[in-house]
Structures are given as C-alpha cells and as structure tokens.
Amino acid sequence: PTGLTFNNDGTKMYVIGAVGDDVNEYNLSTAFDVSTASFVQLFSVASQETAAHGITFNNDGTKMFVIGITGDDVNEYNLSTAFDVSTASYVHNFSVAAQEIHPKDISFNNDGTKMFVIGHQGDDVNEYSLSTAFDVSTASYVQNFAVGSQETYPDGLSFNNDGTKMYVI
C-alpha cells in the first residue's frame, strides 16, 4: 500500500498500492476506526497507472484522482455515485513529468482551484492552478516549494482545513 484516504464522514476508507494497481474500498462501521473496516470492492487503475502511489477525491466524492510513477501524471475519474469506486470511469490525465518524474502524492485546496504534487525527483511540492475546479485538464504549473532540507524522499502531503499549514512525510 502506498496511499490512503477517507470519505468526508470517515465511514469509507480507500487504499491504493503500487503493486495491485487498484483502489480498494472499505466500509468502516465506526467512523475513522480502521479496526472496524470491511472490504467492499476494488477498482483497477492499471489501464492508466501501473505504479499508483496517491489518491484523493473532490469534496463531494464525485471525482477521484490517482497519481503514480509510471505515467508521471494525475488521472481523473468521474464517479456517478459519490465515493463508490465501482461507478468510476476514466476521464483524462494531466502530466506532471516536467516538474516531477516520481510523483508520490496529490492534494487539492478546499475549492479545487489549486493542486499540489509531491515527489522524489525534485524533493519539492509543486503547485498548479486549475481554471476549472477539480478539472486537471485545466491545470497550469505555478511554482514549487523545496522540502529537500527536511526530507530527501517525500512520500505524502496534507494540509490543515484552512490551508495555512502543510504537512510532509
């Protein structure tokens, strides 16, 4: 496993891995308590990414984003039922290879107008602006922030709720 995320209320957990090339969906009978997880289903992303590392959703769960090191891109999927990976369909991708050839994780700001990608090649966080919220085809590179003096192999990033703090692992 290389990536993990939850739905908004913590009753669903999603695990992605670099070997299985799929998103594994679990129900949690107690919100955010992984000991109560039960496997529901999986969704293969192998047609787009064979070494998936990061996963996230838009706010309402109708879009899923997967990033990995094989394609060096962000793959966007539509979900006809929110947070149900069995309803996912591939839409398009956005290459981040010009900035990062080993992308490991992805995050968005709250309104989906900014996308952040972290990886091993530059040891930095790359910021992109999206002219249409949560539509990676409208992304354009803005700038990066180096984290190499703190971490030479960054694997993940997250922000607090108002975006004033960034966390890198």
Side-chain angles (χ1 to χ4, degrees), residues 53-164:
H53 277 266
I55 181 173
T56 193
F57 291 87
N58 69 341
N59 297 335
D60 65 5
T62 58
K63 286 183 179 250
M64 177 176 70
F65 304 90
V66 172
I67 194 165
I69 62 172
T70 300
D72 300 330
D73 56 10
V74 178
N75 297 285
E76 180 180 324
Y77 302 84
N78 284 335
L79 282 73
S80 57
T81 302
F83 294 108
D84 180 348
V85 298
S86 72
T87 68
S89 60
Y90 175 72
V91 179
H92 48 240
N93 67 6
F94 175 77
S95 176
V96 297
Q99 293 80 40
E100 182 58 62
I101 58 169
H102 290 104
K104 297 299 225 158
D105 204 7
I106 179 174
S107 186
F108 289 88
N109 68 344
N110 291 336
D111 67 6
T113 58
K114 288 184 182 268
M115 178 176 71
F116 304 90
V117 172
I118 195 165
H120 287 186
Q121 187 248 347
D123 300 332
D124 55 13
V125 178
N126 296 284
E127 178 185 333
Y128 302 84
S129 179
L130 283 73
S131 57
T132 302
F134 295 108
D135 180 349
V136 299
S137 72
T138 69
S140 59
Y141 176 72
V142 176
Q143 61 188 341
N144 68 17
F145 175 76
V147 297
S149 60
Q150 294 83 34
E151 181 56 61
T152 55
Y153 290 103
D155 276 333
L157 80 155
S158 186
F159 293 86
N160 67 346
N161 290 336
D162 66 4
T164 59

